[in-house]
Every structure is written in C-alpha cells, then in structure tokens.
Amino acid sequence: MVGRIYRVKKCLNYEPSTLSGYPILEVKLYNLRMEEFSQTLRIPVDTGFEGSIMLLNEDYEFFMIGELPREAWRTYRTLVGPITMRVARGFIEINGKTLETLIESPLAGKGKRLLGRELLNKLIVVLDGPHNLCCIT
C-alpha cells in the first residue's frame, strides 16, 4: 500500500506544554439520560491509556446514573501499582458523530481527563506533529 488520503473535518492545535505540545480533541459528553455535560471539553489524546474516557472525579459524578456494577469496574496496572476505575455508560459527540462509550474515573485519587485507545480505535484521527495539529475525519 502506497498511502492513504484523508479528508479531515476539523483540526485543533496541540495544547502547549513544557517540552512539546500534545494532541487534543473537542468533545461533548452525555450521561445515560442523554443530558449534556455542562461544558464542551478539550481532552488530551493518550494512546498510553487503554480505556475510552477518563475524567476527574468531580466530572464523573454527572455520569453515575449509568454506573456499572462494581464487578464490571476495571483495574489497570500502572507504575505506581494497580488502579481500580469506576465505570459508567455514557455518550460522546465528536464533530456531530455520537457514540456510546464508557466513562471512567479512579476509585481513589483525583483522576484526569484523557481519551484512550478504546475510544480512539473507533475513530480516524490524524496527528500532524510538524504542524501541531490533531485532526479528525
């Protein structure tokens, strides 16, 4: 295969950081009742996170209506040891496309906002590093 041509719908500039910028996607989130989360989020793309969406604990409270039973929660191995994540069903909208997804937040700790591989594998995302752009088709 020689290559592919992608027609992107939207590109966002990388967020600045200390050494180099990082890619982000702009998303709207909905809980299981299809109530919209209070803000549109610009969430970092993190291929090191195996799950779909990780949120701060205070964000996660909005999605608890769709929380899965404890036996369905996930545990990830990290450098600091295993971390158990609460998991809820929800929806994400990216460029007008809505997908059902899983939303996670650590049982212990503050959490952070990340888009992980489980969600990214459902999308075509183009990272244009030389131009510091993260684009979605």
Side-chain angles (χ1 to χ4, degrees):
M1 180 182 263
V2 176
R4 295 182 186 171
I5 297 174
Y6 294 102
R7 190 162 296 177
V8 299
K9 293 181 183 171
K10 183 175 185 177
C11 294
L12 293 170
N13 290 314
Y14 282 17
E15 286 291 319
S17 188
T18 306
L19 295 176
S20 63
Y22 56 89
I24 59 163
L25 289 174
E26 190 172 85
V27 302
K28 288 183 181 181
L29 297 174
Y30 301 86
N31 65 18
L32 204 54
R33 289 187 192 140
M34 289 305 291
E35 298 166 327
E36 187 174 338
F37 187 64
S38 62
Q39 54 188 303
T40 298
L41 299 175
R42 296 166 60 92
I43 303 179
V45 171
D46 185 352
T47 60
F49 173 50
E50 191 173 358
S52 288
I53 302 171
M54 184 190 311
L55 293 179
L56 301 167
N57 280 333
E58 63 235 31
D59 297 342
Y60 181 82
E61 290 175 16
F62 180 77
F63 300 93
M64 288 179 72
I65 184 76
E67 189 167 74
L68 301 180
R70 193 174 182 110
E71 52 271 7
W73 292 2
R74 299 171 170 184
T75 300
Y76 297 106
R77 287 181 290 159
T78 71
L79 292 174
V80 296
I83 295 179
T84 300
M85 304 290 276
R86 300 177 294 165
V87 181
R89 290 175 54 210
F91 296 90
I92 185 169
E93 181 183 328
I94 302 177
N95 278 348
K97 182 178 181 179
T98 303
L99 303 167
E100 186 171 353
T101 190
L102 294 176
I103 296 169
E104 304 179 48
S105 191
L107 180 60
K110 181 180 170 186
K112 55 189 336 185
R113 293 175 175 163
L114 298 174
L115 296 178
R117 292 191 313 264
E118 188 174 47
L119 176 70
L120 294 171
N121 285 336
K122 297 175 184 177
L123 306 170
I124 297 174
V125 178
V126 177
L127 300 180
D128 181 352
H131 294 103
N132 291 318
L133 292 173
C134 181
C135 305
I136 191 159
T137 64

